[in-house]
Amino acid sequence: MFGTYLRRELANRRRQTIIIAVGMALAIALVIVVNAVAAGVQNAQATALKSIYGVGTDITITEPVTAASAGGQQFQFGSGAGRTSGGTRTIGGSRLRTDFGTQTFAATTVAKAAATPGVKAATGVLSLSNTTFSGQLPGGATGGFGRSGATPRPTGGPDGAGGSAFGITRVSVLGYDVGGATIGPLTAATLTKGRSLTAADAGKDVAVLDSDYATSAKKSVGSTVSIGGKTFSVVGIVKSTSATGSSASNLYIPLDTAQNLAGDKGDVSSVYVEAASADQIGTVKTALQQTLGSTMTVNTQADLASTVSGSLSTTASLASSLGLWLSVLVLAAAFLIAVLFTVSGVNRRTREFGTLKAIGWSNRRIVGQVAGESFVQGLIGGAIGVVIGIVAIVIVNMAHPVLTASAAAAGRPAGTAAGGFGGGSGFGGGGLGRAFNQVASSASSIVLSLPITPAVFGIAVGLAVLGGLIAGAFGGWRASRLRPAEALRSVA
Amino acid sequence: MYELERVSKTYRQGGRPVAALVDVDLTIADGEFVAVQGQTGGGKSTLLQLLGALDKPTSGTIRLGEADLGRMGASELTRVRATQIGFVFQSFNLIPTLSAQENVETALAPTHVDKRERRDRAQEALESVGLGDRVAHLPSELSGGQQQRVAIARALVKQPQVLLADEPTGALDEDTRGEIVGLLESVWKDRGLTLVVVTHDSWVAHRAERRIHLKQGRVTEKAAAKV
């Protein structure tokens, strides 16, 4: 009886059923899409972080930058520096130093981290920047101002009229443990040419290049590169496992070589930690913080996700703020529509329910009938919503939206920055440092892929059921309050 | 047997009390056919609702057999309605989306009869009112008289002790009126149930064993009638 009556009522009140189902379907579809976008963004953030911190890194340890070490790069030249030719003086220089915004600390931290309970592996890296400066300025700009009343017309320089031109190239260099570390930035890259660095390369001037950098710098296996004034042999080329991004650094060299070259002997700039179990990450973070003290910054991948910026970050914000509230709003509207239509339906069926009560139907049976009808309407809406949601996800995935992701965190990502400026000489310090900092984080492009997960559909069906039950509860409550005598009297 | 002692029913209308029934004393024997007449607003429908366990009196006692309907809880009254009392309404009150057979089956839904037996008994009830060939028809596909027959079948299918009819011919033409009254009479005679009919129609009332007149909530006249 229940099923027959329910089926006939829904079929008879087709318009109401369609309106409730469509309202519910749109809300459910929106929830599915917003959830999928949130999950997709989360995956993209993980991909962005993976390209920087490598596969398997659960926690990173860094030390906050102190004011004393936060100063910018500075090139100083003596009065006789460079060589002068035809009234133009050419000067240049190369410096290898710790990456901007990065603080080094004792490599013993790696051992302390590795010995912390719950830690499976730990490895240290030294993130460096190799900055090359070259420029031209007027060679004869020495005194003479105001001597005879008339100012001499400036000459020399690259434009022959006393101007200057400077070029700056920055290459990121990462010193890493070549003794077989199982985690770290290179775990997110694959070897495409040559060989990887091995324990036998410790202390040697050998380098592995990122394929993007190798292409732009026209380098290959067997070439040489200059790092901090020393010549390194290129033994291998690696490529990021990310479809569109570069790997963590332009160049990879043995850690001890990097330490010696940068004058940071016995120091690292980041420690990468892998927890023994994914569900212990929080505990391990706490243990590490206790072991290493409050001066060290211990971040999990979840903490680092907030450092990802760019359109990926914007999408994440949209998904979590606008998407969430839009979902809640549409869901509330759908529930409200379902409740109003159900209560209105009960009011129209006063005579029907009064009659059923008169022939012996209990309140419970009538409430069950009304709730059952709403429940099925919700389920129909949920089913349509799931279909719309899947179609929307498939359309988004087919469109391959590309988001940019930048991360500026410990173990600062790589990038090659080239700058040039003209004008008078006299520069250095903070201004240039800031300019570097602005370009120091690398932007990688990540294709947003929305996952279709059973959990999302579970939530969607749950919401549809909830919507149906809420509407049914209101409708049932209204029906249960109908007193048979009054219901029949109102008909009369 | 119904026994009513000093039964009063007062409603509140616009904040003011309105007496629908005042100190009604009435006995209706088992198997009796009683017609209730009176002016509009005289309390006929209220009396029928009290007899049908749809409402409780404001004061006084009303008994159906051993059961004191005024003291029963809602679930007990529901059980009485489901098993002992059949209703027939002026406007038939069939569920428009259900077929004739399914409408009759609704009366058996609360009685825990299994599906097969429910279907068989509904079929029998419809055949007994001459609608064996209309079981699959929706109410909208039936005439007024046929709809009232379905309503009577619905009231009879649970084999009640009492059949209460509120203006059962009020929405029918004269010919159909005769058919329905004839059907009610034959059912009453064949099944030996108590039949109470509220009617404005004197022709219908004169078919009853006894006529009760209600005026302003009071029983003003009791007249014997010949069937």
Side-chain angles (χ1 to χ4, degrees):
Chain A
M1 192 77 253
F2 173 82
T4 307
Y5 191 16
L6 187 150
R7 206 171 55 246
R8 297 288 176 80
E9 283 301 321
L10 293 186
N12 186 54
R13 288 177 288 114
R14 208 167 292 140
R15 200 177 66 172
Q16 176 184 326
T17 303
I18 289 171
I19 290 171
I20 292 175
V22 166
M24 205 70 87
L26 291 176
I28 297 303
L30 193 63
V31 168
I32 289 174
V33 171
V34 167
N35 268 286
V37 169
V41 166
Q42 210 169 16
N43 291 344
Q45 281 176 329
T47 304
L49 290 171
K50 203 183 286 176
S51 69
I52 297 163
Y53 300 106
V55 178
T57 301
D58 297 316
I59 293 169
T60 60
I61 300 165
T62 54
E63 188 172 327
V65 178
T66 58
S69 64
Q73 186 92 324
Q74 192 166 27
F75 288 92
Q76 292 176 335
F77 302 100
S79 58
R83 55 190 165 76
T84 305
S85 172
T88 301
R89 185 149 56 123
T90 303
I91 54 171
S94 176
R95 283 198 63 177
L96 181 69
R97 57 160 287 171
T98 311
D99 210 352
F100 291 108
T102 303
Q103 178 73 38
T104 57
F105 51 92
T108 50
T109 306
V110 179
K112 283 184 191 171
T116 304
V119 171
K120 184 181 174 187
T123 188
V125 297
L126 182 62
S127 186
L128 304 170
S129 284
N130 188 62
T131 309
T132 305
F133 166 85
S134 66
Q136 293 177 315
L137 64 162
T142 53
F145 294 101
R147 185 187 284 179
S148 60
T151 304
R153 191 176 168 210
T155 58
D159 61 353
S164 303
F166 302 94
I168 296 169
T169 305
R170 176 182 166 271
V171 175
S172 59
V173 179
L174 193 79
Y176 75 102
D177 179 9
V178 292
T182 55
I183 55 172
L186 272 178
T187 53
T190 52
L191 186 73
T192 57
K193 284 177 188 167
R195 65 175 179 84
S196 305
L197 299 183
T198 63
D201 293 314
K204 291 183 181 174
D205 297 338
V206 287
V208 167
L209 270 56
D210 173 72
S211 65
D212 289 349
Y213 172 72
T215 304
S216 65
K218 298 184 176 63
K219 302 286 183 187
S220 62
V221 174
S223 302
T224 58
V225 289
S226 176
I227 306 172
K230 288 189 81 174
T231 302
F232 280 68
S233 300
V234 177
V235 298
I237 307 287
V238 293
K239 185 172 178 56
S240 170
T241 50
S242 163
T244 51
S246 299
S247 68
S249 182
N250 299 138
L251 295 104
Y252 299 89
I253 61 175
L255 178 61
D256 51 354
T257 305
Q259 289 168 333
N260 289 332
L261 207 54
D264 287 322
K265 207 165 185 179
D267 284 349
V268 291
S269 57
S270 297
V271 177
Y272 296 156
V273 176
E274 182 182 10
S277 160
D279 51 11
Q280 284 184 350
I281 292 171
T283 317
V284 172
K285 178 189 173 180
T286 308
L288 284 169
Q289 195 73 71
Q290 282 174 349
T291 304
L292 303 175
S294 60
T295 55
M296 302 303 290
T297 303
V298 181
N299 281 320
T300 63
Q301 291 278 11
D303 301 330
L304 294 170
S306 62
T307 67
V308 176
S309 58
S311 61
L312 177 58
S313 172
T314 312
T315 308
S317 301
L318 281 174
S320 63
S321 53
L322 181 66
L324 175 70
W325 286 111
L326 196 62
S327 299
V328 169
L329 204 68
V330 175
L331 211 54
F335 283 12
L336 187 66
I337 288 171
V339 168
L340 291 177
F341 269 93
T342 305
V343 171
S344 151
V346 169
N347 288 340
R348 276 202 309 275
R349 293 162 74 188
T350 299
R351 160 180 165 158
E352 193 171 309
F353 292 135
T355 304
L356 289 171
K357 287 188 178 190
I359 65 175
W361 278 44
S362 63
N363 265 338
R364 197 170 138 190
R365 184 176 290 274
I366 290 173
V367 169
Q369 191 70 41
V370 173
E373 291 170 14
S374 297
F375 178 77
V376 172
Q377 283 171 335
L379 276 186
I380 293 170
I384 298 170
V386 166
V387 172
I388 295 173
I390 289 176
V391 169
I393 288 173
V394 168
I395 289 171
V396 171
N397 285 343
M398 283 171 70
H400 294 298
V402 177
L403 301 175
T404 56
S406 308
R412 187 177 292 282
T416 300
F421 49 89
S425 60
F427 56 87
L432 190 57
R434 278 195 299 276
F436 278 132
N437 269 340
Q438 284 167 3
V439 294
S441 61
S442 72
S444 58
S445 299
I446 295 169
V447 175
L448 180 66
S449 175
L450 310 188
I452 298 176
T453 58
V456 170
F457 293 106
I459 291 169
V461 171
L463 285 172
V465 167
L466 180 69
L469 288 178
I470 289 174
F474 274 96
W477 170 79
R478 178 78 189 91
S480 71
R481 285 177 60 85
L482 292 173
R483 292 177 59 196
E486 287 173 6
L488 291 168
R489 198 178 300 132
S490 74
V491 172
Chain B
M1 184 171 75
Y2 276 112
E3 286 179 297
L4 284 74
E5 287 177 26
R6 302 184 63 79
V7 169
S8 295
K9 181 68 185 177
T10 305
Y11 298 107
R12 296 199 77 80
Q13 207 167 47
R16 294 170 57 188
V18 176
L21 288 177
V22 182
D23 293 335
V24 173
D25 291 316
L26 181 66
T27 301
I28 300 172
D30 287 339
E32 196 174 7
F33 177 6
V34 177
V36 181
Q37 287 187 284
Q39 294 174 326
T40 301
K44 306 185 297 296
S45 292
T46 300
L47 176 64
L48 202 71
Q49 285 168 358
L50 293 178
L51 294 175
L54 291 171
D55 211 347
K56 290 184 183 184
T58 309
S59 63
T61 57
I62 174 165
R63 285 194 180 81
L64 173 60
E66 296 300 313
D68 186 344
L69 301 183
R71 288 178 176 272
M72 283 184 165
S75 59
E76 288 172 299
L77 290 175
T78 298
R79 197 159 46 246
V80 169
R81 292 198 297 270
T83 55
Q84 298 182 45
I85 301 169
F87 275 99
V88 176
F89 304 97
Q90 178 178 353
S91 47
F92 327 131
N93 291 19
L94 300 177
I95 310 296
T97 54
L98 298 180
S99 69
Q101 167 139 349
E102 288 157 355
N103 263 288
V104 176
E105 284 186 42
T106 58
L108 293 175
T111 58
H112 307 296
V113 173
D114 69 61
K115 193 175 177 181
R116 190 184 182 86
E117 187 185 344
R118 204 168 63 209
R119 197 165 51 229
D120 291 346
R121 283 173 63 176
Q123 176 83 32
E124 274 176 36
L126 283 167
E127 281 169 5
S128 74
V129 297
L131 288 177
D133 58 342
R134 295 282 192 275
V135 291
H137 287 62
L138 291 173
S140 58
E141 297 165 339
L142 300 172
S143 68
Q146 288 171 328
Q147 287 186 57
Q148 195 60 297
R149 284 168 183 268
V150 174
I152 292 168
R154 179 177 65 185
L156 296 176
V157 72
K158 59 190 171 191
Q159 297 167 334
Q161 297 171 20
V162 180
L163 182 60
L164 304 175
D166 190 1
E167 301 281 6
T169 58
L172 303 175
D173 59 44
E174 254 185 51
D175 290 342
T176 314
R177 177 188 69 172
E179 283 175 24
I180 293 299
V181 171
L183 178 61
L184 289 172
E185 278 179 337
S186 67
V187 163
W188 164 62
K189 281 178 183 167
D190 295 346
R191 304 194 180 206
L193 46 75
T194 305
L195 176 61
V196 180
V197 176
V198 167
T199 182
H200 278 106
D201 190 331
S202 294
W203 181 82
V204 175
H206 277 89
R207 307 294 289 263
E209 283 183 304
R210 186 155 63 108
R211 280 176 288 145
I212 298 169
H213 278 260
L214 281 171
K215 188 174 182 182
Q216 293 178 340
R218 295 173 189 274
V219 176
T220 58
E221 181 186 346
K222 295 179 188 175
K226 174 66 200 103
V227 181

